[in-house]
Amino acid sequence: FKDQDIRCRVVGCKGTWKWTRGMQLEAAVRNRLEPPRRMCSECVKEIAALEDRLEPCKNEGCDKTWVWSKESQLAHSRKGRKKKPPKRMCNDCKKFIERAETLSINCTSCGAEVTWPKEHQLNVELGAWAKPSLCSDCRRDSKTGLSNGESVEI
C-alpha cells in the first residue's frame, strides 16, 4: 500500500484528499478495496460555513418552500454557478405533478378538444391561472371579434 490522492466527492471540485496507507490497510481488513467518498479539506471548511436554506417554490401562487441543502449549495458553487439558488418546486407541487394526468377538455364554443397539461392544472390549482374553456382558435377569435372560423378579407 502507498498513500494516494483521491478526488473530492463534491461534484465540480478538483481538490483531493489523502488516502493513507494506514487507511487502506483498515479498509482491506474490512474487504473494502475502493477508497471511501470523501471531501477535500477545502470543501470540508466551506460546507461547515453553510446552512441548509429554505427557498421559495418556483411556481407562481405557491407560498411553500423547498430545502437547498448545504451539500447542494457547495456543489452549485464548485460548478462555477452564481450564489443564486436554482428554481425548484416544493414537495406539494411535485406531488401534484406526479399524481396529475394530462386531461382533454372540450372548448365551450366550438367543442374542439383542448389538451390540459398537468403543469397548467397546477397553475389553476394555485390560483395563478384560470381553467381554460376555449381552444386557441376560439380564444384568438374572441380577442379579434370574429366568430367561429370567420376570416377577414383585406
Side-chain angles (χ1 to χ4, degrees), residues 42-56:
E42 195 173 314
C43 284
V44 169
K45 281 183 220 164
E46 191 172 330
I47 204 164
L50 295 172
E51 292 184 19
D52 289 351
R53 290 174 32 187
L54 292 178
E55 296 294 333

Side-chain angles (χ1 to χ4, degrees), residues 11-66:
V11 177
C13 180
K14 296 185 181 0
T16 60
W17 61 275
K18 185 81 62 192
W19 194 27
T20 65
R21 292 174 23 192
M23 295 163 84
Q24 293 175 52
L25 184 57
E26 283 181 34
V29 168
R30 293 187 183 103
N31 205 23
R32 298 193 180 169
L33 305 176
E34 295 295 318
R37 293 176 32 89
R38 294 203 175 142
M39 288 187 261
C40 66
S41 59
E42 195 173 314
C43 284
V44 169
K45 281 183 220 164
E46 191 172 330
I47 204 164
L50 295 172
E51 292 184 19
D52 289 351
R53 290 174 32 187
L54 292 178
E55 296 294 333
C57 180
K58 74 174 188 173
N59 292 311
E60 180 184 347
C62 182
D63 58 359
K64 296 192 174 78
T65 58
W66 60 275

